[in-house]
């Protein structure tokens, strides 16, 4: 298969590959890598600087793109992923439809397959959506409600891990300790323990809770002032 694609610099580049295969690292030119990064950023996938290097930030962007476009989430620039990226039908990473079958009414929906969260008001209007960091091994699909569980408070503005971290905007929704909160921050400096660009990936950095960006955690904190349904789907 031979395809002509337009690189970030504007030049046409030929790609020869079999669909679904992964080209060796040295087979992708810097221009092709830049084209992929440019397109990822154009689609709201946050691939980082357009430098022609497929580093960790670009790999995370590829995972988000693969997730949004129902491709295998490898973080690898396969030929299939590259072709889908360049297609006019490529789906954005940052604006995702609420999953079908997630119910109706006021709710929060969490997809463990897409690594994504949606906040939906009582009129069915999307309030906000964004990436999460999850670890499906700790949380089963199902319908939950926010609030106190196992005698523990349902909402804690500045929760701690009992050690050196804050779990800000902690909202409990599943027994006994599972909740949603901002990416943990160090008590000593206020810095997050990892960057926002890991959100929306399948890297399983979480130890059970749903980690959110600060902005999303603020939204969830306000939204859950009253008991709120949380729907977790694969």
């Amino acid at each position: 298969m031979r395809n002509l694609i337009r690189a970030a610099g504007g030049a046409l580049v030929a790609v020869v590959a079999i669909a679904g295969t992964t080209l060796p690292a040295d087979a992708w030119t810097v221009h092709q890598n830049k084209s992929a990064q440019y397109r990822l950023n154009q689609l709201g996938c946050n691939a980082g600087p357009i430098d022609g290097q497929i580093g960790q930030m670009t790999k995370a962007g590829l995972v988000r793109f693969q997730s949004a476009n129902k491709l295998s989430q490898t973080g690898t620039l396969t030929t299939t992923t590259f072709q889908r990226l360049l297609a006019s039908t490529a789906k954005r990473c940052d604006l995702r439809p609420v999953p079908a079958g997630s119910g109706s009414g006021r709710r929060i929906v969490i997809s463990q397959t897409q690594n994504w969260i949606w906040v939906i008001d009582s009129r069915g209007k999307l309030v906000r959506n964004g990436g999460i960091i999850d670890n499906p091994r700790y949380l089963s699909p199902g319908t939950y409600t926010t609030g106190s569980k196992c005698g523990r408070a349902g909402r804690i503005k500045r929760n701690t891990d009992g050690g050196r971290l804050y779990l800000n905007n902690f909202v409990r929704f599943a027994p006994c300790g599972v909740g949603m909160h901002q990416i943990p921050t160090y008590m000593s400096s206020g810095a997050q323990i990892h960057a926002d660009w890991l959100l929306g990936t399948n890297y399983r950095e979480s130890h059970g809770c749903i980690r959110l960006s600060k902005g999303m955690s603020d939204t969830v904190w306000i939204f859950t002032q009253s008991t709120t349904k949380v729907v977790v789907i694969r």
Side-chain angles (χ1 to χ4, degrees):
M1 179 184 301
R2 183 177 186 276
N3 293 308
L4 287 175
I5 63 94
R6 190 168 295 280
L12 287 174
V13 178
V15 179
V16 181
I18 299 172
T21 63
T22 303
L23 291 176
D26 58 357
W28 292 105
T29 69
V30 170
H31 285 300
Q32 289 165 340
N33 288 341
K34 285 183 175 181
S35 293
Q37 291 170 323
Y38 175 83
R39 183 64 169 152
L40 285 166
N41 288 340
Q42 188 181 46
L43 293 169
C45 303
N46 188 17
I50 302 173
D51 58 7
Q53 302 299 314
I54 306 298
Q56 293 304 309
M57 195 169 181
T58 298
K59 289 179 181 179
L62 284 165
V63 169
R64 281 185 285 275
F65 176 80
Q66 290 164 340
S67 166
N69 287 269
K70 298 182 179 179
L71 299 170
S72 180
Q73 295 175 47
T74 63
T76 302
L77 186 58
T78 64
T79 306
T80 297
T81 298
F82 196 47
Q83 291 172 339
R84 189 73 66 86
L85 261 174
L86 298 174
S88 60
T89 54
K91 291 181 171 56
R92 294 188 62 86
C93 293
D94 55 350
L95 300 173
R96 306 194 190 190
V98 178
S102 65
S104 60
R106 187 177 183 276
R107 67 200 187 280
I108 292 174
V109 178
I110 294 169
S111 169
Q112 295 176 317
T113 299
Q114 294 192 53
N115 321 302
W116 212 255
I117 187 171
W118 296 260
V119 179
I120 305 151
D121 69 15
S122 59
R123 299 167 296 171
K125 181 181 178 181
L126 180 65
V127 176
R128 189 168 188 156
N129 77 131
I132 65 170
I133 293 176
D134 181 24
N135 194 332
R137 125 182 201 198
Y138 294 97
L139 181 64
S140 299
T143 300
Y144 302 86
T145 55
T146 60
S148 175
K149 313 287 181 187
C150 309
R152 303 182 189 181
R155 285 160 47 91
I156 307 171
K157 186 65 175 175
R158 178 160 280 195
N159 198 10
T160 75
D161 68 341
R164 56 185 183 144
L165 298 176
Y166 285 126
L167 314 179
N168 296 318
N169 291 336
F170 183 90
V171 177
R172 199 182 312 275
F173 69 92
C176 282
V178 177
M180 298 170 278
H181 59 77
Q182 181 188 349
I183 295 169
T185 59
Y186 292 109
M187 293 179 181
S188 58
S189 66
Q192 293 184 167
I193 64 172
H194 58 70
D196 277 3
W197 54 258
L198 285 178
L199 295 163
T201 67
N202 59 350
Y203 292 169
R204 300 191 175 200
E205 291 289 329
S206 169
H207 300 296
C209 289
I210 305 298
R211 296 181 183 179
L212 309 169
S213 69
K214 183 184 184 306
M216 179 61 81
S217 75
D218 288 339
T219 296
V220 168
W221 178 261
I222 294 169
F223 191 78
T224 58
Q225 292 182 68
S226 59
T227 301
T228 302
K229 179 169 65 173
V230 180
V231 181
V232 178
I233 62 175
R234 286 287 191 219

